[in-house]
Amino acid sequence: MTKLSGKTALVTGSSRGIGRATALGLAREGALVTVHYGRDEQAAKETVALIEQEGGRAFPVGAQLGTPGAIDQLFAGLEAGLREHTGQTVLDILVNNAAATTPGDAPEEVTAEQLDEIFAVNAKAPFLIVQRALGLIPDGGRIVNISSAVTRIAIPTQVVYAMSKGAIDQLTLHFARHLAPRQITVNSVLPGATDNGSAAFQTPEVREPMSQLSAFKRLGEPEEIANVAVFLATEQARWITGASLDATGGSLLG
Ligand code: NDP
């Protein structure tokens, strides 16, 4: 018996990177996983195929967060898929993972439009997703928000992204209190530099300095973040709520 058999999950932004690894991890524990994507339908279908190759169950749902109607589109697809696969619309596990990153501009260069865009995807969308999901999440459900270690250290070129991730930690804190009467846990995971497969992480100019941030002197792997998210989704993690879990390979040890 796997730890999440009979459970259903939504992982936003699971077409690649940490989201894909989390979708795979949840499916390995028996959950039916909704693989959400923004632009890359093909990549989302690949995540679904990978899950199915391992004997798991999943279906894709597209919605470009931060655009008008995206939350309605996401939940229409989610509920239709859940109904098709389970006959009902119960969502046991929500992982808010999708996020946009800034190009790394000096604070003086950041525009109001960039602020709006990052906050729309990284802060406003997760709030609205949690709010909307509450009608589907049963007592004892799980919410995992993927934050970032940049909420704990100062990287001036990442100020907007860090501000948006700070909002995620507040989402965790306040909803953890709000949902405790229903035994729903709400936690954040804080990854450090993690090789999400993007081209930037394959270049020595990025890879070397980023590797030095960790006490282990290497980049994190998506599966290493996913392992934490999957644990938080299990019954074994029922006593943890409102926490921000460091998954940085010791990057914050100083
Ligand atoms: P990736 O850039 O590899 O993947 C991002 C995912 O989010 C993709 O599936 C993408 O879908 C989706 N996404 C992005 N923008 C939108 C949008 N507007 N609407 C819908 N979906 C969207 O991310 P990572 O795996 O690197 O990061 C995952 C999480 O971990 C994020 O929250 C990130 O902030 C956090 N994190 C990552 C770190 C790292 O070093 N990698 C470090 C600290 C935190 P699609 O391509 O289909 O549009």
Side-chain angles (χ1 to χ4, degrees), residues 12-20 36-41 43-44 63-67 96-101 121-122 146-150 161 165 189-198 201 210 219 222 225:
T12 67
S14 46
S15 49
R16 54 196 159 88
I18 293 167
R20 173 180 278 184
H36 163 259
Y37 64 94
R39 292 197 175 87
D40 200 342
E41 181 180 13
Q64 184 67 28
L65 302 176
T67 63
N96 270 311
N97 167 79
T101 47
V121 178
N122 295 6
I146 308 298
S147 176
S148 170
V150 299
Y161 172 74
K165 289 298 186 177
V189 179
L190 277 58
T194 308
D195 183 357
N196 58 14
S198 67
F201 274 120
M210 295 292 245
L219 295 173
I225 310 306

Side-chain angles (χ1 to χ4, degrees), residues 46-152:
E46 280 171 29
T47 304
V48 170
L50 287 168
I51 288 171
E52 288 175 344
Q53 277 164 27
E54 295 185 358
R57 296 196 307 152
F59 61 90
V61 171
Q64 184 67 28
L65 302 176
T67 63
I71 304 296
D72 287 340
Q73 193 184 340
L74 170 60
F75 278 83
L78 169 68
E79 291 180 34
L82 289 175
R83 211 173 277 114
E84 183 189 331
H85 287 80
T86 68
Q88 45 188 0
T89 57
V90 174
L91 180 69
D92 299 290
I93 301 155
L94 165 63
V95 182
N96 270 311
N97 167 79
T101 47
T102 51
D105 295 321
E108 293 81 358
E109 315 270 302
V110 173
T111 65
E113 290 73 24
Q114 282 174 320
L115 268 169
D116 284 345
E117 192 187 325
I118 294 288
F119 270 80
V121 178
N122 295 6
K124 194 172 163 188
F127 179 91
L128 293 172
I129 291 169
V130 169
Q131 192 184 51
R132 186 78 167 258
L134 286 182
L136 309 179
I137 299 179
D139 290 3
R142 297 282 186 266
I143 298 174
V144 180
N145 298 314
I146 308 298
S147 176
S148 170
V150 299
T151 57
R152 301 294 189 271

